[in-house]
Amino acid sequence: MEIKTILEEFEVIAKDPVTYLRNLSENGKKIVLYTCSYVPDEIIWAFGFHPARVLGISETHQLSNSHLQPYCCPTAKAVLEDILSKKLPAAHVVFSNTCDTMQRVSDIVRINTDLEHFDFMVPTRLDSDTSKKYLREQILNLAGFLKRRSLLLEQDRECFDDVSKINSAMELFERIYRSVLKLAEIAQMSNKISNKDMHNIFFASAIMDREDLAKKIEQLNDCIKESTISNSVKKKIVLTGSLCCFPGIYEILDNAGAKVVYDDLCSGIRPYKRRIKLTGDWAYDIAKSLLERPICAAKFKGLFERILYLKDIVKKYRAQGIIFLVPKFCDPHLFDYPDIKKEMDVPVLLLETDEKNQIKGPERTRIEAFLETI
Amino acid sequence: MNMEYKKEPIKTKSKMKEIMTNYFLEAFDAKNKGKKVAWITSGGPVEPLIAMDIIPIYPENHGAMIGASKLGEKLVSYAEGLGYSCDLCSYATADIACSRGEKGPIGHLPEPDMLICCNNICSTVVKWYEIQARYFNVPLFILDTPMCHTNFTEDTKEYVRRQFDELFLFLETVCKKKMDFDRLEEVGRLSVQAQKLWQEILDTTTHSPAPMSAFDAFFHLALIVTLRGTEICVNYYRELLEEMKDRIKNKICAVPNEKYRVLWDNLPIWYKTKWLSEKFAERDVCLVADTYTSAWCSSLRYIDENDFLGSLAPAYTRIYLNQGIDTMANEIIKMIDKYKVHGIIMHSNRSCKPYSFGQYDIQKIIRNKTKVPVLIIEADMLDQRSFSDAQIESRIDAFCELLHS
């Protein structure tokens, strides 16, 4: 299969995840929605469900505006809109305590929908054994919630073997993480995959059938290996922030000849920077891998964790600038911004968007001016 | 005016000013006295600090002072210049501005030797304290209290309990001395006593007309926040309670023509408390209760006085703000009954997202279950730029008309 064909498949899913999920649902897949990359989607997969991340695809907020004030972040509003509009076919939703806003969105969904609801509580502190133990218990609780529902779906209840199903899911997901990371490494040096292509891959990966995903990414890696890798990138950019609130940015960067050498968004590489090592205690293994992945700004793992992490990334990829892309009212990232800007050795551009996928003329000019100056 | 009832200032108020002055003087002199200063969040566990002779300082209490002094806009603007968005919590940004040299109502706060942050009130405090710990180069302890959306589970209880052990160890390390657990139990007893007295004081407003209003409660709250666990706090509230009982006996009240009793939700609009208090009084409305000041006694039901140490985890996790919005709505409905409330005013506070998001749903739940009218006004607890006098006054007028009908 050609690179172009595979990339087009990812683009179709990224552009229209609703149709993709509806097709899955019509073919008998039971979909479990989840809202945060700290939710271990391998568990959802293990119990026979299809995990689909709610990525806030809604561009208008008609329903969510009657639940959330105007000063609420547009990503949270879009996530709520995705769920309340029932466009995503699902009977269950797993929330996580991402930030104050998302915790309230969780309550609003629980009160206003018929979805079976689970709050997956990830410790805010990720720096202690106490946190690891608590996270392990939350993983077991989530597994319990899913198991009770999956038993209702299982034809032959006696055949249900938790450990072997979870282990095989963990192996599949480890395969995905490794191949996505490999692809991202190649993509940052290659002109064969654009910024927009890579975004489509990351975005679609949280929606797709995971076996199909693993195969497609591996195929892509094989195809690219056979093609020439060019390292003629002009401007190297690190993108950081929360869930991507402006997909249009990738195209702007492509057109300006800039390469996102590291997409540190929550809808970028961050969720894939996990390593699962099987030790015989699967819940512990998953907890460990979640605690060791790059942290979200809403979590705490030491005073300088995110600053040092971004400094390392900039150095490793020889980035010339950082674009800090956040939805307006996103407290965790907006609190981080001044100290990160101060500590970086390269210029940092802050872009705030107040509507999904809306960047107005002046911001577009700022991006272009920023790229010219670095 | 109803001639039978009269309005007089609360006498105990002057004592509060004296106590707070001494408290800050002691904190500014802490280094000379060999004492440590800890900055702590308003919902944080102060009792272990008191037991270790650490002086607790509350940046949020300072935030209230900034608001009342109408310095919010100036400080928030200064923080904006440092790169902090004006959409962030104004307590946090005003505090950051004060720490970086801008003057607040008392100049600046005494510098901390450590920071203690409990996220039972919001996640903002984690980011805020992280920034301040980097700036002051002092150790930070985060007590993580997961939100109880629908229930308080055993694993959450155990998680928080273990963190208390870590907190004790943290304090012992910073102070280089052992925790005296007998003293902690004693401090705990005083803390519970103060919380009970505070609840009794708030409950005096079940009397109609109320001997004080929520605006008074906003002022007298300072000690239950800052000096909980001390004799000073217990003695103060004992005196205040006696005064409230005397006021009822002597027909002294907050609004002599009290016709309508209203409940306030969310933090006060500190720079407008006097203005709002007058506007409501002119319309014979008394704010008799609020969800904010009552939060400092809301977890009393989870505390075993004979096992304070064992009660710390539920007491600090199961607070009003750290639960699902349906539970919060039910708490408000209980308050409607208890305080015989005719209407509710919700402050949609741009600075406080966990308190404000969900208010639209709480409003719907209350309307469905009680038919009590609910008015939402949008403002900010500190930043005057978010307050429109004319707009809010006309909304209050419309709300009062609804109460009349």
Side-chain angles (χ1 to χ4, degrees), chain B residues 292-322:
Chain B
Y292 177 62
T293 59
S294 56
W296 274 268
C297 38
S298 67
S299 55
L300 263 174
R301 69 193 107 160
Y302 308 119
I303 302 177
D304 176 355
E305 269 183 87
N306 300 314
D307 180 20
F308 184 72
L309 206 55
S311 308
L312 281 168
Y316 278 98
T317 310
R318 306 182 76 177
I319 70 154
Y320 178 72
L321 260 185
N322 204 35

PDB file of all heavy atoms in Angstrom, chain B residues 292-322:
ATOM      1  N   TYR B 292     -20.641  29.761  51.118  1.00  0.00           N
ATOM      2  CA  TYR B 292     -19.194  29.967  51.256  1.00  0.00           C
ATOM      3  C   TYR B 292     -18.747  29.881  52.718  1.00  0.00           C
ATOM      4  O   TYR B 292     -17.910  29.048  53.065  1.00  0.00           O
ATOM      5  CB  TYR B 292     -18.845  31.330  50.642  1.00  0.00           C
ATOM      6  CG  TYR B 292     -17.400  31.725  50.768  1.00  0.00           C
ATOM      7  CD1 TYR B 292     -16.393  30.963  50.183  1.00  0.00           C
ATOM      8  CD2 TYR B 292     -17.032  32.873  51.474  1.00  0.00           C
ATOM      9  CE1 TYR B 292     -15.059  31.343  50.301  1.00  0.00           C
ATOM     10  CE2 TYR B 292     -15.705  33.248  51.588  1.00  0.00           C
ATOM     11  CZ  TYR B 292     -14.725  32.480  51.003  1.00  0.00           C
ATOM     12  OH  TYR B 292     -13.410  32.849  51.129  1.00  0.00           O
ATOM     13  N   THR B 293     -19.321  30.706  53.568  1.00  0.00           N
ATOM     14  CA  THR B 293     -18.837  30.714  54.964  1.00  0.00           C
ATOM     15  C   THR B 293     -19.225  29.422  55.695  1.00  0.00           C
ATOM     16  O   THR B 293     -18.541  29.007  56.622  1.00  0.00           O
ATOM     17  CB  THR B 293     -19.393  31.929  55.746  1.00  0.00           C
ATOM     18  OG1 THR B 293     -20.810  31.874  55.726  1.00  0.00           O
ATOM     19  CG2 THR B 293     -18.918  33.237  55.149  1.00  0.00           C
ATOM     20  N   SER B 294     -20.316  28.812  55.253  1.00  0.00           N
ATOM     21  CA  SER B 294     -20.732  27.570  55.930  1.00  0.00           C
ATOM     22  C   SER B 294     -19.833  26.390  55.549  1.00  0.00           C
ATOM     23  O   SER B 294     -19.872  25.344  56.186  1.00  0.00           O
ATOM     24  CB  SER B 294     -22.195  27.247  55.618  1.00  0.00           C
ATOM     25  OG  SER B 294     -22.377  27.178  54.237  1.00  0.00           O
ATOM     26  N   ALA B 295     -18.996  26.597  54.524  1.00  0.00           N
ATOM     27  CA  ALA B 295     -18.103  25.504  54.118  1.00  0.00           C
ATOM     28  C   ALA B 295     -17.089  25.174  55.216  1.00  0.00           C
ATOM     29  O   ALA B 295     -16.585  24.058  55.277  1.00  0.00           O
ATOM     30  CB  ALA B 295     -17.376  25.883  52.831  1.00  0.00           C
ATOM     31  N   TRP B 296     -16.802  26.147  56.072  1.00  0.00           N
ATOM     32  CA  TRP B 296     -15.795  25.891  57.126  1.00  0.00           C
ATOM     33  C   TRP B 296     -16.363  25.120  58.312  1.00  0.00           C
ATOM     34  O   TRP B 296     -15.691  24.928  59.314  1.00  0.00           O
ATOM     35  CB  TRP B 296     -15.131  27.195  57.565  1.00  0.00           C
ATOM     36  CG  TRP B 296     -13.989  27.507  56.662  1.00  0.00           C
ATOM     37  CD1 TRP B 296     -12.688  27.142  56.838  1.00  0.00           C
ATOM     38  CD2 TRP B 296     -14.037  28.210  55.421  1.00  0.00           C
ATOM     39  NE1 TRP B 296     -11.929  27.571  55.779  1.00  0.00           N
ATOM     40  CE2 TRP B 296     -12.720  28.234  54.888  1.00  0.00           C
ATOM     41  CE3 TRP B 296     -15.045  28.821  54.696  1.00  0.00           C
ATOM     42  CZ2 TRP B 296     -12.403  28.837  53.684  1.00  0.00           C
ATOM     43  CZ3 TRP B 296     -14.724  29.424  53.495  1.00  0.00           C
ATOM     44  CH2 TRP B 296     -13.425  29.434  53.003  1.00  0.00           C
ATOM     45  N   CYS B 297     -17.621  24.710  58.218  1.00  0.00           N
ATOM     46  CA  CYS B 297     -18.128  23.791  59.238  1.00  0.00           C
ATOM     47  C   CYS B 297     -18.892  22.653  58.561  1.00  0.00           C
ATOM     48  O   CYS B 297     -19.549  21.857  59.215  1.00  0.00           O
ATOM     49  CB  CYS B 297     -18.974  24.502  60.277  1.00  0.00           C
ATOM     50  SG  CYS B 297     -20.016  25.801  59.654  1.00  0.00           S
ATOM     51  N   SER B 298     -18.761  22.564  57.239  1.00  0.00           N
ATOM     52  CA  SER B 298     -19.561  21.582  56.502  1.00  0.00           C
ATOM     53  C   SER B 298     -19.095  20.147  56.722  1.00  0.00           C
ATOM     54  O   SER B 298     -19.856  19.207  56.509  1.00  0.00           O
ATOM     55  CB  SER B 298     -19.545  21.899  55.006  1.00  0.00           C
ATOM     56  OG  SER B 298     -18.243  21.715  54.473  1.00  0.00           O
ATOM     57  N   SER B 299     -17.843  19.964  57.167  1.00  0.00           N
ATOM     58  CA  SER B 299     -17.401  18.579  57.342  1.00  0.00           C
ATOM     59  C   SER B 299     -17.413  18.157  58.806  1.00  0.00           C
ATOM     60  O   SER B 299     -16.898  17.098  59.158  1.00  0.00           O
ATOM     61  CB  SER B 299     -16.022  18.371  56.722  1.00  0.00           C
ATOM     62  OG  SER B 299     -15.118  19.286  57.252  1.00  0.00           O
ATOM     63  N   LEU B 300     -18.036  18.995  59.658  1.00  0.00           N
ATOM     64  CA  LEU B 300     -18.118  18.639  61.089  1.00  0.00           C
ATOM     65  C   LEU B 300     -18.706  17.247  61.292  1.00  0.00           C
ATOM     66  O   LEU B 300     -18.286  16.499  62.164  1.00  0.00           O
ATOM     67  CB  LEU B 300     -19.019  19.652  61.801  1.00  0.00           C
ATOM     68  CG  LEU B 300     -18.328  20.810  62.523  1.00  0.00           C
ATOM     69  CD1 LEU B 300     -19.357  21.779  63.044  1.00  0.00           C
ATOM     70  CD2 LEU B 300     -17.437  20.305  63.643  1.00  0.00           C
ATOM     71  N   ARG B 301     -19.674  16.924  60.445  1.00  0.00           N
ATOM     72  CA  ARG B 301     -20.368  15.631  60.594  1.00  0.00           C
ATOM     73  C   ARG B 301     -19.434  14.439  60.368  1.00  0.00           C
ATOM     74  O   ARG B 301     -19.769  13.309  60.696  1.00  0.00           O
ATOM     75  CB  ARG B 301     -21.574  15.576  59.663  1.00  0.00           C
ATOM     76  CG  ARG B 301     -21.223  15.499  58.185  1.00  0.00           C
ATOM     77  CD  ARG B 301     -22.398  15.746  57.284  1.00  0.00           C
ATOM     78  NE  ARG B 301     -22.281  17.065  56.663  1.00  0.00           N
ATOM     79  CZ  ARG B 301     -22.904  17.443  55.561  1.00  0.00           C
ATOM     80  NH1 ARG B 301     -23.716  16.627  54.970  1.00  0.00           N
ATOM     81  NH2 ARG B 301     -22.746  18.636  55.053  1.00  0.00           N
ATOM     82  N   TYR B 302     -18.286  14.686  59.766  1.00  0.00           N
ATOM     83  CA  TYR B 302     -17.360  13.586  59.495  1.00  0.00           C
ATOM     84  C   TYR B 302     -16.221  13.513  60.516  1.00  0.00           C
ATOM     85  O   TYR B 302     -15.303  12.714  60.384  1.00  0.00           O
ATOM     86  CB  TYR B 302     -16.759  13.724  58.084  1.00  0.00           C
ATOM     87  CG  TYR B 302     -17.814  13.887  57.021  1.00  0.00           C
ATOM     88  CD1 TYR B 302     -17.867  15.023  56.233  1.00  0.00           C
ATOM     89  CD2 TYR B 302     -18.788  12.904  56.835  1.00  0.00           C
ATOM     90  CE1 TYR B 302     -18.852  15.188  55.268  1.00  0.00           C
ATOM     91  CE2 TYR B 302     -19.779  13.063  55.883  1.00  0.00           C
ATOM     92  CZ  TYR B 302     -19.810  14.212  55.107  1.00  0.00           C
ATOM     93  OH  TYR B 302     -20.786  14.373  54.166  1.00  0.00           O
ATOM     94  N   ILE B 303     -16.266  14.399  61.509  1.00  0.00           N
ATOM     95  CA  ILE B 303     -15.170  14.433  62.482  1.00  0.00           C
ATOM     96  C   ILE B 303     -15.587  13.750  63.785  1.00  0.00           C
ATOM     97  O   ILE B 303     -16.633  14.066  64.350  1.00  0.00           O
ATOM     98  CB  ILE B 303     -14.732  15.884  62.775  1.00  0.00           C
ATOM     99  CG1 ILE B 303     -14.290  16.575  61.478  1.00  0.00           C
ATOM    100  CG2 ILE B 303     -13.595  15.908  63.805  1.00  0.00           C
ATOM    101  CD1 ILE B 303     -13.912  18.038  61.648  1.00  0.00           C
ATOM    102  N   ASP B 304     -14.734  12.816  64.213  1.00  0.00           N
ATOM    103  CA  ASP B 304     -14.929  12.195  65.515  1.00  0.00           C
ATOM    104  C   ASP B 304     -14.016  12.953  66.481  1.00  0.00           C
ATOM    105  O   ASP B 304     -12.793  12.896  66.368  1.00  0.00           O
ATOM    106  CB  ASP B 304     -14.525  10.706  65.436  1.00  0.00           C
ATOM    107  CG  ASP B 304     -14.600  10.019  66.784  1.00  0.00           C
ATOM    108  OD1 ASP B 304     -14.865  10.708  67.797  1.00  0.00           O
ATOM    109  OD2 ASP B 304     -14.378   8.793  66.817  1.00  0.00           O
ATOM    110  N   GLU B 305     -14.641  13.681  67.386  1.00  0.00           N
ATOM    111  CA  GLU B 305     -13.852  14.517  68.307  1.00  0.00           C
ATOM    112  C   GLU B 305     -12.824  13.720  69.101  1.00  0.00           C
ATOM    113  O   GLU B 305     -11.800  14.249  69.517  1.00  0.00           O
ATOM    114  CB  GLU B 305     -14.792  15.205  69.289  1.00  0.00           C
ATOM    115  CG  GLU B 305     -15.249  16.552  68.805  1.00  0.00           C
ATOM    116  CD  GLU B 305     -16.112  17.235  69.830  1.00  0.00           C
ATOM    117  OE1 GLU B 305     -15.566  17.918  70.696  1.00  0.00           O
ATOM    118  OE2 GLU B 305     -17.345  17.056  69.754  1.00  0.00           O
ATOM    119  N   ASN B 306     -13.129  12.450  69.333  1.00  0.00           N
ATOM    120  CA  ASN B 306     -12.200  11.636  70.121  1.00  0.00           C
ATOM    121  C   ASN B 306     -11.140  10.974  69.247  1.00  0.00           C
ATOM    122  O   ASN B 306     -10.297  10.250  69.751  1.00  0.00           O
ATOM    123  CB  ASN B 306     -12.980  10.565  70.908  1.00  0.00           C
ATOM    124  CG  ASN B 306     -13.957  11.227  71.847  1.00  0.00           C
ATOM    125  OD1 ASN B 306     -13.593  12.177  72.544  1.00  0.00           O
ATOM    126  ND2 ASN B 306     -15.205  10.764  71.832  1.00  0.00           N
ATOM    127  N   ASP B 307     -11.247  11.182  67.963  1.00  0.00           N
ATOM    128  CA  ASP B 307     -10.235  10.624  67.055  1.00  0.00           C
ATOM    129  C   ASP B 307     -10.002  11.622  65.929  1.00  0.00           C
ATOM    130  O   ASP B 307     -10.304  11.365  64.766  1.00  0.00           O
ATOM    131  CB  ASP B 307     -10.727   9.267  66.507  1.00  0.00           C
ATOM    132  CG  ASP B 307      -9.702   8.648  65.566  1.00  0.00           C
ATOM    133  OD1 ASP B 307      -8.513   9.032  65.626  1.00  0.00           O
ATOM    134  OD2 ASP B 307     -10.096   7.793  64.738  1.00  0.00           O
ATOM    135  N   PHE B 308      -9.465  12.760  66.305  1.00  0.00           N
ATOM    136  CA  PHE B 308      -9.280  13.822  65.309  1.00  0.00           C
ATOM    137  C   PHE B 308      -8.347  13.373  64.192  1.00  0.00           C
ATOM    138  O   PHE B 308      -8.610  13.589  63.015  1.00  0.00           O
ATOM    139  CB  PHE B 308      -8.737  15.088  65.986  1.00  0.00           C
ATOM    140  CG  PHE B 308      -8.612  16.238  65.040  1.00  0.00           C
ATOM    141  CD1 PHE B 308      -9.742  16.894  64.562  1.00  0.00           C
ATOM    142  CD2 PHE B 308      -7.371  16.649  64.576  1.00  0.00           C
ATOM    143  CE1 PHE B 308      -9.630  17.945  63.657  1.00  0.00           C
ATOM    144  CE2 PHE B 308      -7.250  17.691  63.668  1.00  0.00           C
ATOM    145  CZ  PHE B 308      -8.393  18.340  63.222  1.00  0.00           C
ATOM    146  N   LEU B 309      -7.270  12.705  64.609  1.00  0.00           N
ATOM    147  CA  LEU B 309      -6.273  12.234  63.644  1.00  0.00           C
ATOM    148  C   LEU B 309      -6.925  11.314  62.595  1.00  0.00           C
ATOM    149  O   LEU B 309      -6.687  11.438  61.393  1.00  0.00           O
ATOM    150  CB  LEU B 309      -5.180  11.486  64.407  1.00  0.00           C
ATOM    151  CG  LEU B 309      -3.795  11.429  63.810  1.00  0.00           C
ATOM    152  CD1 LEU B 309      -3.266  12.809  63.513  1.00  0.00           C
ATOM    153  CD2 LEU B 309      -2.852  10.695  64.767  1.00  0.00           C
ATOM    154  N   GLY B 310      -7.760  10.419  63.099  1.00  0.00           N
ATOM    155  CA  GLY B 310      -8.434   9.465  62.213  1.00  0.00           C
ATOM    156  C   GLY B 310      -9.503  10.133  61.349  1.00  0.00           C
ATOM    157  O   GLY B 310      -9.948   9.572  60.348  1.00  0.00           O
ATOM    158  N   SER B 311      -9.923  11.333  61.757  1.00  0.00           N
ATOM    159  CA  SER B 311     -10.991  12.023  61.014  1.00  0.00           C
ATOM    160  C   SER B 311     -10.451  12.956  59.944  1.00  0.00           C
ATOM    161  O   SER B 311     -11.222  13.514  59.155  1.00  0.00           O
ATOM    162  CB  SER B 311     -11.833  12.883  61.968  1.00  0.00           C
ATOM    163  OG  SER B 311     -12.283  12.127  63.050  1.00  0.00           O
ATOM    164  N   LEU B 312      -9.141  13.163  59.952  1.00  0.00           N
ATOM    165  CA  LEU B 312      -8.578  14.171  59.042  1.00  0.00           C
ATOM    166  C   LEU B 312      -8.907  13.910  57.580  1.00  0.00           C
ATOM    167  O   LEU B 312      -9.263  14.841  56.839  1.00  0.00           O
ATOM    168  CB  LEU B 312      -7.049  14.252  59.229  1.00  0.00           C
ATOM    169  CG  LEU B 312      -6.563  15.045  60.455  1.00  0.00           C
ATOM    170  CD1 LEU B 312      -5.074  14.819  60.693  1.00  0.00           C
ATOM    171  CD2 LEU B 312      -6.857  16.530  60.299  1.00  0.00           C
ATOM    172  N   ALA B 313      -8.773  12.646  57.159  1.00  0.00           N
ATOM    173  CA  ALA B 313      -8.992  12.336  55.731  1.00  0.00           C
ATOM    174  C   ALA B 313     -10.418  12.673  55.287  1.00  0.00           C
ATOM    175  O   ALA B 313     -10.600  13.452  54.333  1.00  0.00           O
ATOM    176  CB  ALA B 313      -8.638  10.894  55.433  1.00  0.00           C
ATOM    177  N   PRO B 314     -11.451  12.150  55.960  1.00  0.00           N
ATOM    178  CA  PRO B 314     -12.800  12.538  55.510  1.00  0.00           C
ATOM    179  C   PRO B 314     -13.093  14.018  55.709  1.00  0.00           C
ATOM    180  O   PRO B 314     -13.733  14.643  54.866  1.00  0.00           O
ATOM    181  CB  PRO B 314     -13.737  11.667  56.363  1.00  0.00           C
ATOM    182  CG  PRO B 314     -12.911  11.126  57.471  1.00  0.00           C
ATOM    183  CD  PRO B 314     -11.489  11.116  57.000  1.00  0.00           C
ATOM    184  N   ALA B 315     -12.595  14.589  56.813  1.00  0.00           N
ATOM    185  CA  ALA B 315     -12.903  15.998  57.105  1.00  0.00           C
ATOM    186  C   ALA B 315     -12.362  16.914  56.023  1.00  0.00           C
ATOM    187  O   ALA B 315     -12.993  17.915  55.672  1.00  0.00           O
ATOM    188  CB  ALA B 315     -12.335  16.398  58.457  1.00  0.00           C
ATOM    189  N   TYR B 316     -11.194  16.598  55.490  1.00  0.00           N
ATOM    190  CA  TYR B 316     -10.597  17.480  54.494  1.00  0.00           C
ATOM    191  C   TYR B 316     -10.915  17.075  53.050  1.00  0.00           C
ATOM    192  O   TYR B 316     -10.567  17.804  52.124  1.00  0.00           O
ATOM    193  CB  TYR B 316      -9.080  17.608  54.727  1.00  0.00           C
ATOM    194  CG  TYR B 316      -8.809  18.627  55.809  1.00  0.00           C
ATOM    195  CD1 TYR B 316      -8.564  18.237  57.119  1.00  0.00           C
ATOM    196  CD2 TYR B 316      -8.887  19.977  55.524  1.00  0.00           C
ATOM    197  CE1 TYR B 316      -8.374  19.185  58.125  1.00  0.00           C
ATOM    198  CE2 TYR B 316      -8.701  20.933  56.516  1.00  0.00           C
ATOM    199  CZ  TYR B 316      -8.449  20.536  57.804  1.00  0.00           C
ATOM    200  OH  TYR B 316      -8.284  21.475  58.782  1.00  0.00           O
ATOM    201  N   THR B 317     -11.539  15.940  52.875  1.00  0.00           N
ATOM    202  CA  THR B 317     -11.895  15.536  51.509  1.00  0.00           C
ATOM    203  C   THR B 317     -13.368  15.824  51.225  1.00  0.00           C
ATOM    204  O   THR B 317     -13.715  16.274  50.129  1.00  0.00           O
ATOM    205  CB  THR B 317     -11.609  14.028  51.304  1.00  0.00           C
ATOM    206  OG1 THR B 317     -10.287  13.761  51.741  1.00  0.00           O
ATOM    207  CG2 THR B 317     -11.742  13.625  49.847  1.00  0.00           C
ATOM    208  N   ARG B 318     -14.197  15.588  52.242  1.00  0.00           N
ATOM    209  CA  ARG B 318     -15.644  15.696  52.007  1.00  0.00           C
ATOM    210  C   ARG B 318     -16.161  17.097  52.289  1.00  0.00           C
ATOM    211  O   ARG B 318     -17.096  17.294  53.054  1.00  0.00           O
ATOM    212  CB  ARG B 318     -16.376  14.663  52.875  1.00  0.00           C
ATOM    213  CG  ARG B 318     -15.852  13.257  52.668  1.00  0.00           C
ATOM    214  CD  ARG B 318     -16.598  12.256  53.489  1.00  0.00           C
ATOM    215  NE  ARG B 318     -17.912  11.989  52.899  1.00  0.00           N
ATOM    216  CZ  ARG B 318     -18.768  11.100  53.398  1.00  0.00           C
ATOM    217  NH1 ARG B 318     -18.457  10.422  54.489  1.00  0.00           N
ATOM    218  NH2 ARG B 318     -19.922  10.890  52.815  1.00  0.00           N
ATOM    219  N   ILE B 319     -15.559  18.079  51.659  1.00  0.00           N
ATOM    220  CA  ILE B 319     -16.044  19.437  51.899  1.00  0.00           C
ATOM    221  C   ILE B 319     -16.993  19.830  50.769  1.00  0.00           C
ATOM    222  O   ILE B 319     -17.041  19.175  49.728  1.00  0.00           O
ATOM    223  CB  ILE B 319     -14.889  20.453  52.052  1.00  0.00           C
ATOM    224  CG1 ILE B 319     -14.173  20.687  50.727  1.00  0.00           C
ATOM    225  CG2 ILE B 319     -13.911  20.030  53.138  1.00  0.00           C
ATOM    226  CD1 ILE B 319     -13.514  22.034  50.666  1.00  0.00           C
ATOM    227  N   TYR B 320     -17.707  20.915  50.993  1.00  0.00           N
ATOM    228  CA  TYR B 320     -18.776  21.318  50.086  1.00  0.00           C
ATOM    229  C   TYR B 320     -18.361  21.340  48.618  1.00  0.00           C
ATOM    230  O   TYR B 320     -19.038  20.773  47.759  1.00  0.00           O
ATOM    231  CB  TYR B 320     -19.293  22.699  50.514  1.00  0.00           C
ATOM    232  CG  TYR B 320     -20.379  23.242  49.612  1.00  0.00           C
ATOM    233  CD1 TYR B 320     -21.663  22.696  49.639  1.00  0.00           C
ATOM    234  CD2 TYR B 320     -20.129  24.280  48.728  1.00  0.00           C
ATOM    235  CE1 TYR B 320     -22.659  23.183  48.811  1.00  0.00           C
ATOM    236  CE2 TYR B 320     -21.118  24.771  47.897  1.00  0.00           C
ATOM    237  CZ  TYR B 320     -22.377  24.213  47.937  1.00  0.00           C
ATOM    238  OH  TYR B 320     -23.361  24.691  47.107  1.00  0.00           O
ATOM    239  N   LEU B 321     -17.228  21.973  48.343  1.00  0.00           N
ATOM    240  CA  LEU B 321     -16.835  22.152  46.938  1.00  0.00           C
ATOM    241  C   LEU B 321     -16.278  20.892  46.287  1.00  0.00           C
ATOM    242  O   LEU B 321     -16.194  20.809  45.070  1.00  0.00           O
ATOM    243  CB  LEU B 321     -15.740  23.232  46.850  1.00  0.00           C
ATOM    244  CG  LEU B 321     -16.150  24.628  46.447  1.00  0.00           C
ATOM    245  CD1 LEU B 321     -14.921  25.509  46.297  1.00  0.00           C
ATOM    246  CD2 LEU B 321     -16.933  24.631  45.145  1.00  0.00           C
ATOM    247  N   ASN B 322     -15.882  19.938  47.123  1.00  0.00           N
ATOM    248  CA  ASN B 322     -15.192  18.767  46.573  1.00  0.00           C
ATOM    249  C   ASN B 322     -16.159  17.600  46.342  1.00  0.00           C
ATOM    250  O   ASN B 322     -15.848  16.447  46.625  1.00  0.00           O
ATOM    251  CB  ASN B 322     -14.072  18.356  47.536  1.00  0.00           C
ATOM    252  CG  ASN B 322     -12.971  17.573  46.846  1.00  0.00           C
ATOM    253  OD1 ASN B 322     -12.648  17.832  45.682  1.00  0.00           O
ATOM    254  ND2 ASN B 322     -12.405  16.601  47.537  1.00  0.00           N
TER     255      ASN B 322
END
